[in-house]
Amino acid sequence: MSLKDFAIAVARELKEHGIDVVLTGGAVVSIYSENKYVSNDADFLSTTDHQNIVKAMQTMGFTNKGKDFFHSSTKFSVEFPGRNLIIGNAPMKATGSIKENGFTLLLLSPTQCVMDRLAAFYHWNDRQSLDQALLVAQNQPIKINEVKRWSENEGELSKFQEFVDGIEAKKSRR
């Protein structure tokens, strides 16, 4: 089972327990980079009370250790890192989705995924996150003007330019 299929299966089952989730983090990078970046966990945001999430996950056969959930039949883990989607300093609503077999998985759009990765680069100088943003940008259409506006609001236009330069460098290597 792929990480994408795993995330859809978990989200579908959580929905049956009345829990709505949004997929974020490295799993979204994996999906949008066509697995050029590999993640072994699915990060979900949910406004549902954490105790209800724990109960649902345990019903599904997961055990929790701290904030992570594990299942003996898969290498993938699940984490619930927060309740609200905030990228950098900007609250957002997830605008991405994957429809499969009558179920819709909500996730970050490619543009939001790039901004999420760039936030780590901007605020913690995490160069791996810059590389992940570039992978998504080279594999998916993104709204570069939206990323630029967000970057300006984050006070990071110089690092945004580094991202743009990285896109251009990857194009010239093709």
Side-chain angles (χ1 to χ4, degrees), residues 101-124:
N101 298 324
F103 179 77
T104 301
L105 172 67
L106 294 177
L107 71 162
L108 302 181
S109 69
T111 299
Q112 290 172 323
C113 181
V114 164
M115 290 187 296
D116 178 56
R117 299 291 99 176
L118 287 177
F121 172 58
Y122 292 173
H123 301 292
W124 300 298

PDB file of all heavy atoms in Angstrom, residues 101-124:
ATOM      1  N   ASN A 101     -12.738   6.455  -5.164  1.00  0.00           N
ATOM      2  CA  ASN A 101     -13.780   5.505  -4.762  1.00  0.00           C
ATOM      3  C   ASN A 101     -14.853   6.149  -3.891  1.00  0.00           C
ATOM      4  O   ASN A 101     -15.222   5.620  -2.840  1.00  0.00           O
ATOM      5  CB  ASN A 101     -13.167   4.299  -4.045  1.00  0.00           C
ATOM      6  CG  ASN A 101     -12.222   3.519  -4.943  1.00  0.00           C
ATOM      7  OD1 ASN A 101     -12.468   3.398  -6.142  1.00  0.00           O
ATOM      8  ND2 ASN A 101     -11.155   3.011  -4.378  1.00  0.00           N
ATOM      9  N   GLY A 102     -15.350   7.298  -4.302  1.00  0.00           N
ATOM     10  CA  GLY A 102     -16.435   7.954  -3.594  1.00  0.00           C
ATOM     11  C   GLY A 102     -16.032   8.688  -2.321  1.00  0.00           C
ATOM     12  O   GLY A 102     -16.885   9.156  -1.579  1.00  0.00           O
ATOM     13  N   PHE A 103     -14.740   8.791  -2.062  1.00  0.00           N
ATOM     14  CA  PHE A 103     -14.261   9.490  -0.874  1.00  0.00           C
ATOM     15  C   PHE A 103     -13.354  10.631  -1.305  1.00  0.00           C
ATOM     16  O   PHE A 103     -12.576  10.494  -2.248  1.00  0.00           O
ATOM     17  CB  PHE A 103     -13.490   8.544   0.054  1.00  0.00           C
ATOM     18  CG  PHE A 103     -12.945   9.223   1.281  1.00  0.00           C
ATOM     19  CD1 PHE A 103     -13.779   9.537   2.338  1.00  0.00           C
ATOM     20  CD2 PHE A 103     -11.605   9.577   1.367  1.00  0.00           C
ATOM     21  CE1 PHE A 103     -13.294  10.194   3.470  1.00  0.00           C
ATOM     22  CE2 PHE A 103     -11.106  10.220   2.492  1.00  0.00           C
ATOM     23  CZ  PHE A 103     -11.957  10.528   3.539  1.00  0.00           C
ATOM     24  N   THR A 104     -13.433  11.743  -0.608  1.00  0.00           N
ATOM     25  CA  THR A 104     -12.572  12.890  -0.891  1.00  0.00           C
ATOM     26  C   THR A 104     -11.640  13.124   0.285  1.00  0.00           C
ATOM     27  O   THR A 104     -12.096  13.375   1.397  1.00  0.00           O
ATOM     28  CB  THR A 104     -13.407  14.152  -1.155  1.00  0.00           C
ATOM     29  OG1 THR A 104     -14.279  13.907  -2.264  1.00  0.00           O
ATOM     30  CG2 THR A 104     -12.510  15.346  -1.473  1.00  0.00           C
ATOM     31  N   LEU A 105     -10.349  13.013   0.018  1.00  0.00           N
ATOM     32  CA  LEU A 105      -9.318  13.324   1.015  1.00  0.00           C
ATOM     33  C   LEU A 105      -8.956  14.790   0.855  1.00  0.00           C
ATOM     34  O   LEU A 105      -8.543  15.214  -0.227  1.00  0.00           O
ATOM     35  CB  LEU A 105      -8.078  12.456   0.804  1.00  0.00           C
ATOM     36  CG  LEU A 105      -6.855  12.810   1.665  1.00  0.00           C
ATOM     37  CD1 LEU A 105      -7.140  12.512   3.140  1.00  0.00           C
ATOM     38  CD2 LEU A 105      -5.627  12.041   1.189  1.00  0.00           C
ATOM     39  N   LEU A 106      -9.126  15.557   1.934  1.00  0.00           N
ATOM     40  CA  LEU A 106      -8.695  16.954   1.919  1.00  0.00           C
ATOM     41  C   LEU A 106      -7.216  17.011   2.266  1.00  0.00           C
ATOM     42  O   LEU A 106      -6.752  16.313   3.173  1.00  0.00           O
ATOM     43  CB  LEU A 106      -9.500  17.771   2.920  1.00  0.00           C
ATOM     44  CG  LEU A 106     -10.987  17.918   2.624  1.00  0.00           C
ATOM     45  CD1 LEU A 106     -11.678  18.685   3.744  1.00  0.00           C
ATOM     46  CD2 LEU A 106     -11.213  18.605   1.288  1.00  0.00           C
ATOM     47  N   LEU A 107      -6.478  17.845   1.549  1.00  0.00           N
ATOM     48  CA  LEU A 107      -5.056  18.025   1.805  1.00  0.00           C
ATOM     49  C   LEU A 107      -4.632  19.398   1.327  1.00  0.00           C
ATOM     50  O   LEU A 107      -5.405  20.109   0.692  1.00  0.00           O
ATOM     51  CB  LEU A 107      -4.229  16.924   1.139  1.00  0.00           C
ATOM     52  CG  LEU A 107      -4.097  16.908  -0.385  1.00  0.00           C
ATOM     53  CD1 LEU A 107      -2.908  16.041  -0.777  1.00  0.00           C
ATOM     54  CD2 LEU A 107      -5.341  16.349  -1.049  1.00  0.00           C
ATOM     55  N   LEU A 108      -3.419  19.761   1.657  1.00  0.00           N
ATOM     56  CA  LEU A 108      -2.875  21.014   1.157  1.00  0.00           C
ATOM     57  C   LEU A 108      -2.865  20.966  -0.368  1.00  0.00           C
ATOM     58  O   LEU A 108      -2.606  19.922  -0.959  1.00  0.00           O
ATOM     59  CB  LEU A 108      -1.450  21.213   1.655  1.00  0.00           C
ATOM     60  CG  LEU A 108      -1.207  21.238   3.157  1.00  0.00           C
ATOM     61  CD1 LEU A 108       0.275  21.462   3.441  1.00  0.00           C
ATOM     62  CD2 LEU A 108      -2.054  22.283   3.841  1.00  0.00           C
ATOM     63  N   SER A 109      -3.108  22.095  -0.996  1.00  0.00           N
ATOM     64  CA  SER A 109      -2.936  22.191  -2.449  1.00  0.00           C
ATOM     65  C   SER A 109      -1.435  22.171  -2.741  1.00  0.00           C
ATOM     66  O   SER A 109      -0.616  22.381  -1.822  1.00  0.00           O
ATOM     67  CB  SER A 109      -3.549  23.492  -2.955  1.00  0.00           C
ATOM     68  OG  SER A 109      -2.778  24.595  -2.507  1.00  0.00           O
ATOM     69  N   PRO A 110      -1.037  21.983  -3.988  1.00  0.00           N
ATOM     70  CA  PRO A 110       0.395  22.070  -4.292  1.00  0.00           C
ATOM     71  C   PRO A 110       1.002  23.407  -3.859  1.00  0.00           C
ATOM     72  O   PRO A 110       2.105  23.439  -3.301  1.00  0.00           O
ATOM     73  CB  PRO A 110       0.451  21.878  -5.813  1.00  0.00           C
ATOM     74  CG  PRO A 110      -0.738  21.024  -6.115  1.00  0.00           C
ATOM     75  CD  PRO A 110      -1.805  21.521  -5.162  1.00  0.00           C
ATOM     76  N   THR A 111       0.288  24.501  -4.066  1.00  0.00           N
ATOM     77  CA  THR A 111       0.796  25.818  -3.660  1.00  0.00           C
ATOM     78  C   THR A 111       0.948  25.899  -2.148  1.00  0.00           C
ATOM     79  O   THR A 111       1.972  26.366  -1.638  1.00  0.00           O
ATOM     80  CB  THR A 111      -0.145  26.928  -4.177  1.00  0.00           C
ATOM     81  OG1 THR A 111      -0.180  26.860  -5.611  1.00  0.00           O
ATOM     82  CG2 THR A 111       0.318  28.303  -3.729  1.00  0.00           C
ATOM     83  N   GLN A 112      -0.054  25.423  -1.405  1.00  0.00           N
ATOM     84  CA  GLN A 112       0.029  25.425   0.063  1.00  0.00           C
ATOM     85  C   GLN A 112       1.153  24.510   0.550  1.00  0.00           C
ATOM     86  O   GLN A 112       1.836  24.829   1.521  1.00  0.00           O
ATOM     87  CB  GLN A 112      -1.301  24.989   0.670  1.00  0.00           C
ATOM     88  CG  GLN A 112      -2.402  26.004   0.493  1.00  0.00           C
ATOM     89  CD  GLN A 112      -3.750  25.468   0.929  1.00  0.00           C
ATOM     90  OE1 GLN A 112      -4.080  24.306   0.735  1.00  0.00           O
ATOM     91  NE2 GLN A 112      -4.546  26.354   1.535  1.00  0.00           N
ATOM     92  N   CYS A 113       1.337  23.391  -0.120  1.00  0.00           N
ATOM     93  CA  CYS A 113       2.417  22.469   0.245  1.00  0.00           C
ATOM     94  C   CYS A 113       3.768  23.152   0.084  1.00  0.00           C
ATOM     95  O   CYS A 113       4.642  23.043   0.963  1.00  0.00           O
ATOM     96  CB  CYS A 113       2.326  21.211  -0.621  1.00  0.00           C
ATOM     97  SG  CYS A 113       3.576  19.972  -0.255  1.00  0.00           S
ATOM     98  N   VAL A 114       3.945  23.878  -1.017  1.00  0.00           N
ATOM     99  CA  VAL A 114       5.189  24.628  -1.232  1.00  0.00           C
ATOM    100  C   VAL A 114       5.372  25.653  -0.116  1.00  0.00           C
ATOM    101  O   VAL A 114       6.460  25.771   0.469  1.00  0.00           O
ATOM    102  CB  VAL A 114       5.201  25.291  -2.627  1.00  0.00           C
ATOM    103  CG1 VAL A 114       6.278  26.368  -2.719  1.00  0.00           C
ATOM    104  CG2 VAL A 114       5.405  24.230  -3.706  1.00  0.00           C
ATOM    105  N   MET A 115       4.316  26.381   0.217  1.00  0.00           N
ATOM    106  CA  MET A 115       4.417  27.385   1.283  1.00  0.00           C
ATOM    107  C   MET A 115       4.735  26.722   2.622  1.00  0.00           C
ATOM    108  O   MET A 115       5.551  27.257   3.394  1.00  0.00           O
ATOM    109  CB  MET A 115       3.126  28.207   1.369  1.00  0.00           C
ATOM    110  CG  MET A 115       2.942  29.124   0.179  1.00  0.00           C
ATOM    111  SD  MET A 115       1.540  30.281   0.284  1.00  0.00           S
ATOM    112  CE  MET A 115       0.158  29.190   0.302  1.00  0.00           C
ATOM    113  N   ASP A 116       4.136  25.585   2.892  1.00  0.00           N
ATOM    114  CA  ASP A 116       4.399  24.856   4.137  1.00  0.00           C
ATOM    115  C   ASP A 116       5.880  24.487   4.241  1.00  0.00           C
ATOM    116  O   ASP A 116       6.520  24.676   5.280  1.00  0.00           O
ATOM    117  CB  ASP A 116       3.522  23.599   4.176  1.00  0.00           C
ATOM    118  CG  ASP A 116       3.758  22.757   5.406  1.00  0.00           C
ATOM    119  OD1 ASP A 116       3.629  23.272   6.531  1.00  0.00           O
ATOM    120  OD2 ASP A 116       4.057  21.551   5.242  1.00  0.00           O
ATOM    121  N   ARG A 117       6.440  23.986   3.154  1.00  0.00           N
ATOM    122  CA  ARG A 117       7.860  23.620   3.154  1.00  0.00           C
ATOM    123  C   ARG A 117       8.738  24.869   3.238  1.00  0.00           C
ATOM    124  O   ARG A 117       9.749  24.889   3.943  1.00  0.00           O
ATOM    125  CB  ARG A 117       8.214  22.810   1.907  1.00  0.00           C
ATOM    126  CG  ARG A 117       7.457  21.498   1.796  1.00  0.00           C
ATOM    127  CD  ARG A 117       7.873  20.486   2.832  1.00  0.00           C
ATOM    128  NE  ARG A 117       6.966  20.434   3.951  1.00  0.00           N
ATOM    129  CZ  ARG A 117       7.053  19.585   4.967  1.00  0.00           C
ATOM    130  NH1 ARG A 117       8.035  18.712   5.019  1.00  0.00           N
ATOM    131  NH2 ARG A 117       6.182  19.605   5.944  1.00  0.00           N
ATOM    132  N   LEU A 118       8.350  25.912   2.512  1.00  0.00           N
ATOM    133  CA  LEU A 118       9.129  27.145   2.558  1.00  0.00           C
ATOM    134  C   LEU A 118       9.097  27.778   3.947  1.00  0.00           C
ATOM    135  O   LEU A 118      10.084  28.402   4.357  1.00  0.00           O
ATOM    136  CB  LEU A 118       8.636  28.139   1.504  1.00  0.00           C
ATOM    137  CG  LEU A 118       8.989  27.806   0.056  1.00  0.00           C
ATOM    138  CD1 LEU A 118       8.368  28.835  -0.892  1.00  0.00           C
ATOM    139  CD2 LEU A 118      10.485  27.696  -0.161  1.00  0.00           C
ATOM    140  N   ALA A 119       8.003  27.608   4.675  1.00  0.00           N
ATOM    141  CA  ALA A 119       7.927  28.160   6.041  1.00  0.00           C
ATOM    142  C   ALA A 119       9.071  27.608   6.892  1.00  0.00           C
ATOM    143  O   ALA A 119       9.708  28.343   7.645  1.00  0.00           O
ATOM    144  CB  ALA A 119       6.572  27.853   6.675  1.00  0.00           C
ATOM    145  N   ALA A 120       9.348  26.304   6.772  1.00  0.00           N
ATOM    146  CA  ALA A 120      10.459  25.704   7.535  1.00  0.00           C
ATOM    147  C   ALA A 120      11.802  26.255   7.046  1.00  0.00           C
ATOM    148  O   ALA A 120      12.710  26.503   7.846  1.00  0.00           O
ATOM    149  CB  ALA A 120      10.422  24.185   7.418  1.00  0.00           C
ATOM    150  N   PHE A 121      11.915  26.467   5.750  1.00  0.00           N
ATOM    151  CA  PHE A 121      13.139  27.050   5.204  1.00  0.00           C
ATOM    152  C   PHE A 121      13.294  28.502   5.681  1.00  0.00           C
ATOM    153  O   PHE A 121      14.373  28.904   6.137  1.00  0.00           O
ATOM    154  CB  PHE A 121      13.111  26.976   3.679  1.00  0.00           C
ATOM    155  CG  PHE A 121      14.224  27.721   2.997  1.00  0.00           C
ATOM    156  CD1 PHE A 121      15.551  27.427   3.271  1.00  0.00           C
ATOM    157  CD2 PHE A 121      13.944  28.717   2.066  1.00  0.00           C
ATOM    158  CE1 PHE A 121      16.588  28.125   2.637  1.00  0.00           C
ATOM    159  CE2 PHE A 121      14.964  29.404   1.427  1.00  0.00           C
ATOM    160  CZ  PHE A 121      16.285  29.109   1.721  1.00  0.00           C
ATOM    161  N   TYR A 122      12.233  29.269   5.616  1.00  0.00           N
ATOM    162  CA  TYR A 122      12.288  30.671   6.008  1.00  0.00           C
ATOM    163  C   TYR A 122      12.614  30.848   7.483  1.00  0.00           C
ATOM    164  O   TYR A 122      13.438  31.679   7.852  1.00  0.00           O
ATOM    165  CB  TYR A 122      10.959  31.370   5.726  1.00  0.00           C
ATOM    166  CG  TYR A 122      10.597  31.543   4.271  1.00  0.00           C
ATOM    167  CD1 TYR A 122       9.345  32.031   3.924  1.00  0.00           C
ATOM    168  CD2 TYR A 122      11.470  31.230   3.234  1.00  0.00           C
ATOM    169  CE1 TYR A 122       8.989  32.212   2.596  1.00  0.00           C
ATOM    170  CE2 TYR A 122      11.116  31.390   1.913  1.00  0.00           C
ATOM    171  CZ  TYR A 122       9.864  31.885   1.595  1.00  0.00           C
ATOM    172  OH  TYR A 122       9.491  32.052   0.288  1.00  0.00           O
ATOM    173  N   HIS A 123      11.930  30.092   8.324  1.00  0.00           N
ATOM    174  CA  HIS A 123      12.002  30.344   9.763  1.00  0.00           C
ATOM    175  C   HIS A 123      13.078  29.546  10.498  1.00  0.00           C
ATOM    176  O   HIS A 123      13.505  29.946  11.575  1.00  0.00           O
ATOM    177  CB  HIS A 123      10.624  30.159  10.390  1.00  0.00           C
ATOM    178  CG  HIS A 123       9.598  31.076   9.777  1.00  0.00           C
ATOM    179  ND1 HIS A 123       9.633  32.448   9.954  1.00  0.00           N
ATOM    180  CD2 HIS A 123       8.560  30.830   8.955  1.00  0.00           C
ATOM    181  CE1 HIS A 123       8.639  32.990   9.271  1.00  0.00           C
ATOM    182  NE2 HIS A 123       7.971  32.037   8.655  1.00  0.00           N
ATOM    183  N   TRP A 124      13.484  28.402   9.936  1.00  0.00           N
ATOM    184  CA  TRP A 124      14.504  27.577  10.605  1.00  0.00           C
ATOM    185  C   TRP A 124      15.701  27.300   9.702  1.00  0.00           C
ATOM    186  O   TRP A 124      16.574  26.515  10.038  1.00  0.00           O
ATOM    187  CB  TRP A 124      13.902  26.256  11.086  1.00  0.00           C
ATOM    188  CG  TRP A 124      12.785  26.470  12.059  1.00  0.00           C
ATOM    189  CD1 TRP A 124      12.869  27.077  13.287  1.00  0.00           C
ATOM    190  CD2 TRP A 124      11.427  26.107  11.888  1.00  0.00           C
ATOM    191  NE1 TRP A 124      11.640  27.106  13.878  1.00  0.00           N
ATOM    192  CE2 TRP A 124      10.725  26.516  13.040  1.00  0.00           C
ATOM    193  CE3 TRP A 124      10.716  25.472  10.865  1.00  0.00           C
ATOM    194  CZ2 TRP A 124       9.362  26.307  13.203  1.00  0.00           C
ATOM    195  CZ3 TRP A 124       9.360  25.280  11.035  1.00  0.00           C
ATOM    196  CH2 TRP A 124       8.707  25.696  12.200  1.00  0.00           C
TER     197      TRP A 124
END
